[in-house]
Amino acid sequence: MTSRKGRSRRNSDCTAGGLRPALRAPHRSRRHEGVEQAFVIGVLTSAADFARARAWGVSDAPDHERYLADTAELLADALERFETVRARMFHPQDFEEFCVLHGLDPAEPAARDRYLVNPPLRTQLLVYQGEELAGDFVPRLVRARENGLTLRHADLLLDGALLGSAGPAEADEEHACWVRAAHQRGSEVFRRMLVGAGAGVYELRLRVDAPGGRLTAAARVLQWEDGVVRINDEELELVCAVLCAGLALELPAVAVLHGSQGSAASCGEYLPAAWAWSSGGPDWAPAARPVRLDGVAAQPGYSLGTVC
């Protein structure tokens, strides 16, 4: 399965945690003494969040629209200076809770720096590559936060083996191998769903009934006739993680793949399609009856075992 862009490399992060329109990360070349540098920033994604965070002195902008314009300029500057530029949603409530937990003053820039690169929250980071900030990128930041919370939930269910968050003393190679095997099975399930669907534009919706609350995931997929798939990396990661948790713990789950089947090569003919599968154990199978998930109705899907 080919994703939209490659995985980012591990970097030594130089943070720009303050949200003021000024580049606060060290002004270094793209590589400093052989170490790849990265720029990390938090983005207030809504006018309400912007208003709530102004008390902490995070921006001099008069309103959210001007703030986004200033942030876009800062990001463009960062792209010229740093090997990697990353962003995540700056969520005021999350930030306040983080400061209370660690005894930090939210008005101090150092508190924002620590919040942005807090290891448990790194699943919310996205690589910025020059996208229009106020266009698709801001909604992706919002989804990345929601996806990150789901990833953390799945990781806790799997005792830290999914994201590698278990401490060295807690590491259990047999358990880790078990989780890796479940992740591979989940990835294969998703691959077979897409191969069976063929070329088209689809959305996968996934729900796993897990202890502590449901795990949910969604991914938008564009698949060409030659099997090449276009999908956001963060959505692919979340789908595979939720499938992994469901299979590893044998939890009740349901998935719906729906959209338009077809391609320009077939004279531009597109047909509506919606398939459903379910799982309650180590495998996935066509749903036993029609399914409605998040308002989408689907008929039992094809057997994944017949898909190569």
Side-chain angles (χ1 to χ4, degrees), residues 176-232:
C177 288
W178 170 65
V179 172
R180 284 196 296 268
H183 194 279
Q184 290 175 347
R185 295 196 339 258
S187 300
E188 180 64 10
V189 165
F190 188 28
R191 187 191 72 82
R192 288 174 180 255
M193 288 177 179
L194 296 181
V195 171
V201 181
Y202 306 104
E203 181 184 41
L204 178 79
R205 292 181 177 268
L206 173 64
R207 185 186 72 205
V208 173
D209 295 326
R214 287 175 171 170
L215 298 173
T216 61
R220 294 170 293 180
V221 179
L222 173 60
Q223 185 166 220
W224 280 275
E225 299 89 338
D226 58 4
V228 173
V229 172
R230 185 180 179 89
I231 179 173
N232 283 332

Side-chain angles (χ1 to χ4, degrees), residues 38-50:
F39 177 87
V40 180
I41 189 172
V43 179
L44 293 162
T45 59
S46 71
D49 286 352
F50 174 78

Side-chain angles (χ1 to χ4, degrees), residues 280-291:
D283 299 300
W284 279 80
R289 59 183 64 87
V291 167

Side-chain angles (χ1 to χ4, degrees), residues 83-96:
E83 188 76 14
T84 303
V85 176
R86 296 193 184 98
R88 55 169 291 211
M89 177 183 178
F90 191 98
H91 193 279
Q93 183 175 338
D94 290 355
F95 176 58
E96 283 185 317

